[in-house]
Amino acid sequence: MSSIAVALVEQTEFYWLPLTTEQKVKLVNWLSSVASIEIPANNWRWFRILILSALKQLDQSIDEQVLAKDLAFVDSLYLKDGWYQDGTNGVVDYYNPFAFQLYALMYCRWNAYQGELCAKFVSRAIEFSDSYQAWFGDDGKQLAYGRSLNYRFAAAGYWAELARADDERIDVSVCRDIWTHTLNWWANQSIWDTHAQLLPGFGYANLLSSEFYTSSMSPMLALKAFNALSMPVDHPFWQHKVQPLSTALKPAWIADRHLIWRNGGSYLITNSPSAAELRNCSDKYNKCAYSSDHGLCVESERWIEQSWIGDNIFAVKHPETQQWFGINKERRAERVGDTLISQWQPFAGCRIQLTQTLTDGRETRDFIIECERPVEFVLSGYAVNQWTAWFSHCERDEASVESSRLYSQLRLEKGDGICSVYPCAPNTNLLYQHASVPVIRGDLIQGKNQIRVLVSAGRLTPSAPAATNSYTSNNSHQGVTDEY
């Protein structure tokens, strides 16, 4: 319904004017019925806003009270730094560019950017760009985080819509650069079938990335990014000569829920709440960190007993059921100064606190675990597109793995554990069909345990040596310097 409504406004001469009077009446009656539908208290409210606003643009009568309530509701979801929570549970993810920012800018354009609410929406969209640009690596690759990753480059649609807003505070060149680089990156990924149909997945066709609401048509939402084609050829967006993206952006806080930065790739540490319990939501929201270069793994704890381990987890094994438990959605989280603190109880008799700190490009993860009886633990770092055969981890004496392009390492600073490298289960990493992670495993004693690790990950230059503890990177980045 919202797609049809948008078409009626954006291309009136094709979708509205050719209709007969009877057809228009039937269409308006059907679209107007949305006013009486109970809609979830999240980004879906924007669908009704678009539908009712479209009818209003066509001089049709609507239920103004419903429209006003929906606008007030989405306004109430605003947090800070230009970001909205998707619903009332604090989730902050891709639904900002997918919906909140994109649709708000469309609403403002339809209303000629007039009024107090439009001024508020546009100002937030501009502030949003300051940190959102760090969600893209310098190659245009998007951060792998959160649900609905099947929508892929739909996230670029925000940049085109922002460029259309005539506001001197908007840097149209940044909009064009990011839009172009991310579209170019996606154009070279294996995301199509032989008929050029977009397939579910993220970096490649992969149903494991899907949610229960995913259909074969869901990936088509990526085509939101082609809203740029609505701008005339003489628009500054098209006149700008595309420039390389900067290789580094300073760390920026996102509504006290995320800390994000760009160092070649995009990196994020987070303790933000998880979305509803959909497929693999724990992996998509509750890991220690995320990256555009390294991707994320789903089913991270599911196959540990079979020697497959996912990225950026901390999991403990129940002493009776033998089941592995990672960070769960019930964790209590807060930002204290420049640190993120998380607390959770994976099962009765085990309490965990994680403090994440980024200092001079180095991430430190401090764990305090209180156990009423001994339990096993496993923690991992970022994934690398390098296959590690089963049981080869038995021969490792360090938690370090690298491919021809990427590396990942954990350094144990406090506590006891065995350093090794494990393969990720095939196709569980949403960027790479085969991947491996550095791992530290060990036993926790009854009482209080402390573990501290330094986390290193990034790109290798072509001249970097293989299988060594010294790395030369393109940039200073998380946990790594040239002499680390």
Side-chain angles (χ1 to χ4, degrees), residues 66-81:
V66 172
L67 177 59
K69 283 184 178 180
D70 282 345
L71 287 168
F73 174 75
V74 297
D75 185 32
S76 72
L77 296 181
Y78 183 69
L79 295 170
K80 59 187 297 189
D81 306 320

Side-chain angles (χ1 to χ4, degrees), residues 21 61 85 87 154 186 292-293 339 343 361 395 409 458:
T21 300
S61 61
Q85 60 180 336
W186 281 110
S292 64
D293 275 345
T339 66
Q343 297 175 322
E395 303 170 5
Q409 184 182 62

Side-chain angles (χ1 to χ4, degrees), residues 405-427:
R405 295 189 293 113
L406 301 172
Y407 66 89
S408 179
Q409 184 182 62
L410 297 175
R411 172 178 286 182
L412 185 61
E413 295 284 296
K414 179 183 291 186
D416 297 318
I418 299 173
C419 298
S420 53
V421 174
Y422 278 74
C424 307
N427 302 313

Side-chain angles (χ1 to χ4, degrees), residues 289-341:
Y290 296 84
S291 163
S292 64
D293 275 345
H294 302 267
L296 73 87
C297 297
V298 295
E299 302 184 350
S300 293
E301 295 112 25
R302 184 174 181 179
W303 309 109
I304 293 177
E305 286 302 298
Q306 283 72 44
S307 294
W308 312 102
I309 297 178
D311 67 298
N312 287 305
I313 66 169
F314 184 89
V316 289
K317 186 177 182 179
H318 195 288
E320 294 178 357
T321 67
Q322 306 301 299
Q323 181 180 355
W324 287 91
F325 292 88
I327 304 174
N328 60 47
K329 67 175 183 177
E330 303 301 328
R331 65 178 169 181
R332 290 179 293 155
E334 61 180 331
R335 173 189 172 186
V336 178
D338 288 330
T339 66
L340 289 172
I341 300 177

Side-chain angles (χ1 to χ4, degrees), residues 21-84:
T21 300
E22 182 183 5
Q23 289 171 334
K24 289 178 178 178
V25 169
K26 289 181 177 180
L27 179 57
V28 169
N29 287 340
W30 177 61
L31 291 175
S32 297
S33 69
V34 74
S36 61
I37 295 174
E38 184 175 348
I39 295 179
N42 57 19
N43 73 86
W44 279 31
R45 294 296 179 92
W46 270 112
F47 295 145
R48 184 159 59 192
I49 292 172
L50 292 177
I51 294 165
L52 296 179
S53 296
L55 292 174
K56 192 173 182 178
Q57 292 291 313
L58 299 171
D59 296 323
Q60 303 299 310
S61 61
I62 63 169
D63 191 327
E64 295 281 0
Q65 286 188 330
V66 172
L67 177 59
K69 283 184 178 180
D70 282 345
L71 287 168
F73 174 75
V74 297
D75 185 32
S76 72
L77 296 181
Y78 183 69
L79 295 170
K80 59 187 297 189
D81 306 320
W83 291 77
Y84 295 81

